Amino acid sequence: QKEVEQDPGPLSVPEGAIVSLNCTYSNSAFQYFMWYRQYSRKGPELLMYTYSSGNKEDGRFTAQVDKSSKYISLFIRDSQPSDSATYLCAMDDTGANSKLTFGKGITLSVRP
Amino acid sequence: DGGITQSPKYLFRKEGQNVTLSCEQNLNHDAMYWYRQDPGQGLRLIYYSQIVNDFQKGDIAEGYSVSREKKESFPLTVTSAQKNPTAFYLCASSMVGTGVYEQYFGPGTRLTVT
């Protein structure tokens, strides 16, 4: 079993839809959970991060961590065409940010 | 403007040649990283460095080499020993310490070896 599994996609939704992106992981030592967004032919940029279990909201984005199930989610409300990108989950066990483990990424397309 | 620069954006090489990818940052970050991204794959760590003159292998270091002679610079050499060098290469940097520090990524270099 890979350390981090992410739904392969691609995912296509109409504008305004609620999007749910998910990752599962096997390493119970992971404590820091991040979501990166990567536009085509660009480097990824950090979208959100959470520490341990719980929810974190930032505008239209909500990150959710369930450590008991080893499951994290990113919800996008009122999705926009500008949200079309690849979303990568990433995890770290030490907080030292030296060896992030990334999921494979899922490509989201929001149709106008 | 603060950030990370990678050059060139596209690079073409013949099989059997070594090639060096440039990465420079002016964010005053101590840590720098090299990742490889293949289609449908996540980012895989090649090498990372948390301090000048020191670096560690990541998960796929074979066929690659790095140096960290200056805080601002972390060049990656793809050697002829790397069996499948064609990929998108991303450099990143971050602060170092306990807690979460964002990794800032450069725009990437797309290497094609034929």
Side-chain angles (χ1 to χ4, degrees), chain A:
Chain A
Q1 182 186 8
K2 291 192 185 300
E3 273 201 302
V4 178
E5 300 267 15
Q6 186 170 4
D7 293 340
L11 184 61
S12 179
V13 301
E15 185 174 351
I18 296 174
V19 177
S20 171
L21 307 175
N22 309 298
C23 288
T24 58
Y25 62 94
S26 58
N27 186 349
S28 57
F30 286 143
Q31 298 185 68
Y32 299 88
F33 304 92
M34 296 150 223
W35 286 96
Y36 279 82
R37 178 175 60 194
Q38 184 178 21
Y39 291 113
S40 182
R41 303 183 195 281
K42 304 283 188 188
E45 56 182 351
L46 182 66
L47 192 57
M48 295 188 72
Y49 79 86
T50 51
Y51 171 68
S52 195
S53 286
N55 291 0
K56 186 172 184 179
E57 190 173 317
D58 183 3
R60 296 184 294 109
F61 298 87
T62 300
Q64 196 172 76
V65 174
D66 181 349
K67 288 191 72 179
S68 62
S69 302
K70 297 191 180 69
Y71 190 90
I72 71 170
S73 299
L74 177 71
F75 297 96
I76 306 174
R77 290 183 299 281
D78 188 25
S79 56
Q80 302 294 309
S82 59
D83 296 327
S84 298
T86 296
Y87 292 80
L88 300 131
C89 60
M91 305 176 191
D92 178 24
D93 58 353
T94 64
N97 214 15
S98 58
K99 288 192 71 174
L100 290 179
T101 302
F102 283 85
K104 289 187 176 183
I106 183 169
T107 298
L108 170 67
S109 175
V110 181
R111 308 185 302 272

Side-chain angles (χ1 to χ4, degrees), chain B residues 30 45 76 97 109:
Chain B
D30 287 305
L45 184 64
L76 173 75
T109 292

